[in-house]
């Protein structure tokens, strides 16, 4: 199998990820923060070490503000719904948003009478910044923006957005789902107030893990309440971070795997352009040379993520993905990728797009097989 669905979940993982998970499951097993025996302490120390490692990697001043969730979606929900909303408040997002930002925003829109402006990205930074200046207003309470499109791989100039947000005293929430593990992210230096990410994509950690990291003094109220292993006598949620925003038993085996993945990430050399991005540029270049293939998104050399979106003639994207899977043993993703506004912008709402996304372990040989397969598929449809 050639696995080119890395933007959905990365595969395979560094071997130490599975080893750390098995160790936590079979040798520790105990509940972190819920006891003072040796095994509970060992579980707690995995949790604290993971918070410290994430705050070091992602430039956050306080490890207690590294919060664990089961995926990026849950982290984004906590960030958005954890703010206090009032009728008339305003939010800015982009037309690239995944439903994991769009749906929580649409939900607070209905619940509180908040308005949302979705700015589109034409590929021109100055154009985008101009629209952002036009949209921001005194009632703008949050800018919630994806760092990169999960459909086209286009990268949004988040640092510029952060600096505009600061001038307006408007906090910035960055969805780093497609950039964490591929790009250097340093919240303090980049001016982010909150950042959400999954553990299971570019970071190469396990499914069932996600992080919300908060920098500075943003206040969030919990969207879930319950046991925290602390202040049990009180009927109220503790006010301390992280307990305030983490109720119930944590996913210790998953977090142990995430720690191993982040430790492996820290030791990896990341050039200015990571190797999976260079490989994806070659794929894009190859696809552009096949007559009958339409590619979407930024040009080959633009700042882009290792994601390539394309269609073959006017064939439904699902059909192409099925042929790649069944005839060539190549895994890609088709359809709308949970980002319907992106498809409205690309004019692909009916056909969807085929998305090939690459990761650390993909090889040049695999990409050559993939390009050969697409060429053969185009030839066979053309001969019908
Ligand atoms: C940009 C973006 N945001 C959020 C998500 C949601 O991630 P998760 O499935 O971990 O909740 C994804 C997943 O594809 C994504 O690509």
């Amino acid at each position: 199998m050639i696995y080119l669905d890395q933007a959905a979940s990365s595969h395979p993982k560094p071997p130490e990820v599975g080893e750390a998970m098995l160790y936590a499951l079979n040798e520790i097993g105990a509940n972190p923060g819920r006891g003072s025996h040796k095994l509970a302490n060992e579980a707690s120390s995995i949790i604290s070490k993971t918070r410290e490692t994430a705050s070091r990697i992602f430039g956050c001043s306080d490890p207690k503000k590294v919060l664990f969730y089961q995926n990026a979606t849950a982290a984004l929900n906590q960030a958005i719904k954890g703010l206090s909303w009032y009728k008339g408040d305003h939010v800015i997002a982009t037309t690239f948003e995944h439903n994991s930002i769009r749906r929580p925003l649409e939900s607070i829109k209905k619940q509180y009478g908040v308005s949302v402006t979705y700015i589109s990205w034409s590929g021109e930074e100055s154009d985008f910044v101009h629209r952002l200046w036009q949209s921001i207003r005194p009632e703008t309470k949050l800018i919630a923006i994806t760092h990169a499109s999960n459909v086209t791989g286009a990268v949004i100039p988040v640092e510029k957005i952060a600096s505009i947000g600061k001038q307006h005293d408007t906090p910035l929430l960055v969805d780093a789902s497609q950039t964490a593990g591929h790009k250097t992210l340093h919240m303090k230096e980049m001016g982010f107030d909150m950042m959400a990410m999954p553990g299971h994509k570019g970071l190469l950690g396990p499914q069932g893990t996600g992080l919300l990291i908060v920098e500075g003094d943003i206040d969030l109220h919990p969207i879930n309440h319950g046991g925290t292993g602390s202040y049990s006598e009180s009927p109220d949620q503790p006010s301390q971070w992280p307990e305030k925003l983490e109720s119930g038993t944590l996913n210790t085996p998953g977090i142990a795997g995430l720690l191993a993945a982040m430790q492996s990430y820290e030791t990896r050399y990341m050039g200015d352009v990571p190797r999976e991005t260079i490989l994806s540029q070659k794929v894009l270049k190859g696809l552009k040379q096949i007559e009958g293939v339409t590619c979407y998104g930024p040009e080959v050399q633009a700042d882009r993520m290792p994601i390539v979106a394309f269609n073959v003639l006017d064939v439904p994207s699902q059909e192409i993905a099925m042929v790649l899977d069944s005839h060539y043993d190549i895994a890609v993703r088709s359809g709308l990728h949970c980002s319907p506004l992106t498809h409205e912008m690309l004019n692909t709402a009916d056909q969807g797009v085929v998305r090939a996304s690459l990761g650390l372990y993909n090889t040049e040989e695999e990409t050559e097989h993939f390009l050969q397969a697409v060429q053969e598929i185009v030839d066979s449809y053309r001969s019908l």
Side-chain angles (χ1 to χ4, degrees):
M1 161 70 77
I2 296 178
Y3 187 78
L4 301 180
D5 196 15
Q6 308 281 355
S9 263
S10 54
H11 171 73
K13 312 291 185 189
E16 47 287 22
V17 172
E19 286 159 18
M21 291 179 78
L22 276 180
Y23 181 80
L25 193 67
N26 294 332
E27 310 298 328
I28 303 180
N31 202 317
R34 303 294 196 275
S36 50
H37 54 81
K38 288 189 210 65
L39 289 177
N41 288 342
E42 205 179 332
S44 295
S45 116
I46 289 176
I47 302 298
S48 344
K49 206 162 168 191
T50 312
R51 290 193 212 278
E52 282 154 21
T53 305
S55 61
R56 184 171 64 243
I57 292 176
F58 297 113
C60 158
S61 321
D62 184 357
K64 291 199 181 76
K65 293 195 170 175
V66 172
L67 306 162
F68 296 114
Y69 296 101
Q70 71 268 36
N71 47 41
T73 303
L76 287 164
N77 268 272
Q78 173 60 68
I80 293 170
K81 295 178 185 165
L83 293 169
S84 299
W85 295 103
Y86 302 98
K87 193 171 168 51
D89 286 342
H90 174 241
V91 185
I92 295 177
T94 72
T95 51
F96 274 149
E97 300 319 322
H98 189 277
N99 278 338
S100 54
I101 280 195
R102 189 178 177 219
R103 286 180 175 164
L105 289 184
E106 291 297 317
S107 148
I108 59 163
K109 189 167 148 182
K110 286 195 193 93
Q111 194 174 351
Y112 301 102
V114 168
S115 64
V116 184
T117 304
Y118 295 99
I119 305 179
S120 64
W121 168 252
S122 62
E124 281 295 323
E125 182 174 318
S126 55
D127 183 42
F128 185 84
V129 166
H130 176 67
R131 277 187 239 189
L132 182 57
W133 276 116
Q134 280 185 323
S135 307
I136 202 160
R137 47 192 206 239
E139 310 79 76
T140 308
K141 194 153 174 183
L142 178 70
I143 304 174
I145 254 166
T146 190
H147 191 180
S149 163
N150 65 313
V151 179
T152 67
V155 178
I156 305 288
V158 275
E159 286 174 84
K160 185 90 197 170
I161 297 168
S163 107
I164 296 171
K166 293 268 173 295
Q167 292 172 53
H168 277 263
D169 220 9
T170 305
L172 172 66
L173 163 65
V174 173
D175 174 2
S177 293
Q178 292 301 335
T179 49
H182 297 293
K183 272 188 173 294
T184 304
L185 296 169
H186 194 285
M187 292 182 72
K188 249 183 300 176
E189 284 172 10
M190 296 171 91
F192 304 170
D193 300 282
M194 297 189 276
M195 178 164 70
M197 65 185 70
H200 61 94
K201 298 189 198 265
L203 281 177
L204 308 182
Q207 291 181 354
T209 59
L211 298 175
L212 171 63
I213 312 182
V214 177
E215 175 58 21
D217 55 9
I218 297 238
D219 195 25
L220 292 176
H221 58 74
I223 59 170
N224 289 309
H225 300 81
T228 57
S230 58
Y231 306 97
S232 298
E233 67 288 357
S234 170
D236 298 324
Q237 194 74 9
S239 56
Q240 285 77 9
W241 297 64
E243 297 98 301
K244 175 182 175 179
L245 301 169
E246 282 175 355
S247 288
T249 300
L250 290 172
N251 171 12
T252 312
I255 293 169
L258 179 60
L259 173 61
M262 289 196 295
Q263 286 168 334
S264 145
Y265 167 82
E266 271 190 305
T267 59
R268 241 179 353 255
Y269 169 71
M270 296 231 320
D272 290 342
V273 184
R275 63 171 291 286
E276 60 269 26
T277 303
I278 295 171
L279 215 49
S280 71
Q281 288 166 331
K282 289 187 184 164
V283 171
L284 181 58
K285 218 161 149 187
L287 284 174
K288 280 177 180 269
Q289 280 161 8
I290 303 175
E291 214 181 308
V293 168
T294 307
C295 295
Y296 304 91
E299 286 306 315
V300 177
Q301 294 305 335
D303 186 11
R304 59 183 351 275
M305 300 315 297
I307 289 174
V308 177
F310 69 99
N311 272 319
V312 170
L313 305 166
D314 57 359
V315 184
S317 59
Q318 292 82 350
E319 197 170 311
I320 301 299
M322 209 177 67
V323 176
L324 281 166
D325 182 40
S326 56
H327 290 255
Y328 296 95
D329 216 15
I330 297 176
V332 292
R333 181 152 172 219
S334 59
L336 302 186
H337 315 90
C338 303
S339 297
L341 297 179
T342 310
H343 288 275
E344 275 176 30
M345 214 171 58
L346 298 175
N347 232 347
T348 50
D350 291 334
Q351 193 178 9
V353 299
V354 184
R355 181 184 75 180
S357 51
L358 285 83
L360 183 69
Y361 295 116
N362 287 121
T363 63
E364 186 126 15
E365 200 188 354
E366 287 179 328
T367 61
E368 280 159 13
H369 278 304
F370 169 70
L371 288 171
Q372 181 60 36
V374 175
Q375 178 70 67
E376 285 176 21
I377 291 170
V378 174
D379 291 345
S380 67
Y381 275 100
R382 288 210 131 146
S383 66
L384 288 178

